[in-house]
Amino acid sequence: MARFISPTLVGLIAAAALFSGTARAGDCPGNPDALGTSRTLVVDPTQHPRIGTMQYPETLPLADHEVVLTFDDGPLTKHTKPILAMLDAQCVKATFFVVGKMAQAYPEMLREVQAAGHTIGTHTLSHPLRMNRMSIDQNMAEIDGGIAAATAVLGDPSKVAPFLRIPGLLRSTEVEDYLQSKGIMTWSADFPADDWHRISPARVAQLAISRLEAKGRGVLLLHDIQQRTQTALPTILRELKARGYRVVHVVPATPDRPKTPTQPWQWHLHPVEPVIAAGNGMRFSFAPQTIRGTSKQNAMAAIPAIPQKTARKGPMLSPIWGTAALAGDDEIMSVVLSPLPKTFRFVEPSGAAMRNLAGKSGAPAE
Ligand SMILES: [Zn+2]
């Protein structure tokens, strides 16, 4: 029967396969106004072993107004399940950095997250907050143990992405080198929402959106073990949609799934602030050196939650900002012209709304 399939049909089938699992905004069953997932980004960890401008020169090759959602520390059914439902209702795909012992404690929840099409990365076996001071043997046991635990629950190594986030972002060169030697991509982030602190859900949403707006794109760090994150998520998703952001789903390259073609400069977060009008007011350019320095300082100042001692360990922000990291005029114009709502207010949901959002969850958990 194959001889009756036209080349056009083959092309359509190939296109459908290429985009399967990628829900576009407006193409979300039962939710025509969904945020959606605009595209899938396939990355090769061996070529870009460390990403996230909170700690590294490189970040994911995102376009302006693209965002990657990440959730750490789960699975914890009480919060992961409603968070998963909210993401699925919006056809949003995220990356979950799971703790091995949490996966062992809540294996069915992990299987649900993976079956829903989200990417599963790992976050060590028991979440030690001293990897920068542990022996390499201890670190290897934590890293390998976390991967083994998630793999055992999911039953297939290919269901665990070679993506790892170091607990507390307490990096060390030794740990990073080990991860790189195993072909694992170390994920920092571009901005947190401080959702592990005792702040309100409204504040979590405000920090998530305002920090994203400040950078224009990037990897957002959240935690799916926190009530406040669960409560804040509908606001975050709604604001992403209202402000024209597009969610990108990130998956690792495999022999059957080639990496998304990118240019080296795309792996750098362009500064948003240093747009300088020149001459006739119609042309813009970046000031490469001084402004990049300022941008980095601003980035660090925006994350007071990360202990300063973290910044002092090793070459946290090595000076490898690409000299070729200049954007085209179109991109610069899009930054200049992108609307920044000035009247936005974050409010706590009403009691009834919170009960609806939070399901049967009780008091905020710590
Ligand atoms: Zn963590």
Side-chain angles (χ1 to χ4, degrees):
M1 297 299 287
R3 66 182 183 276
F4 296 114
I5 298 176
S6 72
T8 303
L9 185 56
V10 170
L12 287 172
I13 292 170
L18 190 64
F19 288 105
S20 65
T22 301
R24 292 180 173 281
D27 187 24
C28 187
N31 190 352
D33 296 322
L35 175 58
T37 299
S38 67
R39 69 181 176 113
T40 298
L41 172 65
V42 185
V43 297
D44 181 350
T46 66
Q47 295 188 350
H48 297 275
R50 291 175 288 282
I51 62 99
T53 52
M54 283 174 66
Q55 295 180 289
Y56 303 119
E58 287 198 335
T59 193
L60 293 172
L62 302 176
D64 183 48
H65 274 69
E66 286 190 333
V67 62
V68 172
L69 304 184
T70 66
F71 294 89
D72 289 10
D73 293 1
L76 179 60
T77 305
K78 176 183 177 184
H79 299 300
T80 305
K81 200 172 187 74
I83 284 172
L84 187 65
M86 293 174 204
L87 295 175
D88 289 353
Q90 295 290 328
C91 291
V92 164
K93 301 295 185 209
T95 297
F96 288 75
F97 291 95
V98 303
V99 174
K101 290 194 170 174
M102 300 296 280
Q104 291 167 344
Y106 303 96
E108 189 51 40
M109 190 68 245
L110 178 58
R111 285 190 281 269
E112 279 185 44
V113 175
Q114 195 277 329
H118 301 279
T119 297
I120 307 296
T122 60
H123 196 41
T124 73
L125 177 61
S126 63
H127 203 277
L129 281 171
R130 53 187 190 89
M131 286 185 81
N132 54 338
R133 290 178 283 125
M134 284 162 42
S135 72
I136 188 62
D137 287 344
Q138 289 174 308
N139 278 321
M140 288 165 60
E142 279 289 340
I143 291 165
D144 297 348
I147 295 166
T151 301
V153 167
L154 296 175
D156 180 351
S158 72
K159 292 180 177 176
V160 180
F163 298 162
L164 184 140
R165 184 171 275 144
I166 298 170
L169 305 184
L170 294 170
R171 56 160 297 281
S172 73
T173 303
E174 197 172 53
V175 167
E176 290 162 358
D177 287 349
Y178 176 65
L179 292 168
Q180 185 170 357
S181 77
K182 295 193 66 167
I184 296 170
M185 185 182 236
T186 303
W187 282 52
S188 186
D190 293 311
F191 28 82
D194 295 3
D195 59 341
W196 65 97
H197 288 303
R198 290 177 178 272
I199 58 177
S200 70
R203 179 70 176 149
V204 169
Q206 185 209 12
L207 288 172
I209 299 298
S210 63
R211 287 172 178 172
L212 171 58
E213 291 274 49
K215 292 197 171 184
R217 72 194 73 181
V219 180
L220 173 62
L221 167 59
L222 295 168
H223 295 79
D224 61 319
I225 61 165
Q226 299 287 353
Q227 177 65 51
R228 67 175 66 80
T229 311
Q230 176 187 331
T231 307
L233 190 57
T235 303
I236 293 171
L237 298 178
R238 189 179 64 244
E239 286 302 320
L240 291 177
K241 172 84 174 178
R243 291 161 188 251
Y245 283 91
R246 300 178 304 281
V247 174
V248 173
H249 182 212
V250 186
V251 299
T254 66
D256 301 329
R257 186 171 59 197
K259 67 180 180 182
T260 303
T262 57
Q263 296 295 320
W265 63 265
Q266 293 179 289
W267 292 76
H268 295 263
L269 195 72
H270 304 308
V272 174
E273 302 89 352
V275 177
I276 297 171
N280 59 12
M282 293 298 289
R283 293 156 61 190
F284 301 86
S285 63
F286 287 118
Q289 291 307 323
T290 53
I291 304 249
R292 283 208 183 100
T294 303
S295 176
K296 276 188 280 186
Q297 283 156 17
N298 287 346
M300 290 308 297
I303 48 170
I306 303 301
Q308 278 303 305
K309 65 181 180 184
T310 307
R312 290 194 215 105
K313 296 277 183 184
M316 188 147 174
L317 284 165
S318 54
I320 315 176
W321 290 62
T323 52
L326 293 174
D329 283 348
D330 288 347
E331 195 157 12
I332 294 170
M333 286 303 292
S334 73
V335 172
V336 173
L337 299 176
S338 67
L340 293 174
K342 294 182 175 60
T343 57
F344 179 70
R345 287 178 63 241
F346 290 91
V347 294
E348 295 277 6
S350 68
M354 284 185 67
R355 280 191 295 279
N356 284 339
L357 296 173
K360 294 175 183 173
S361 297
E366 277 299 324

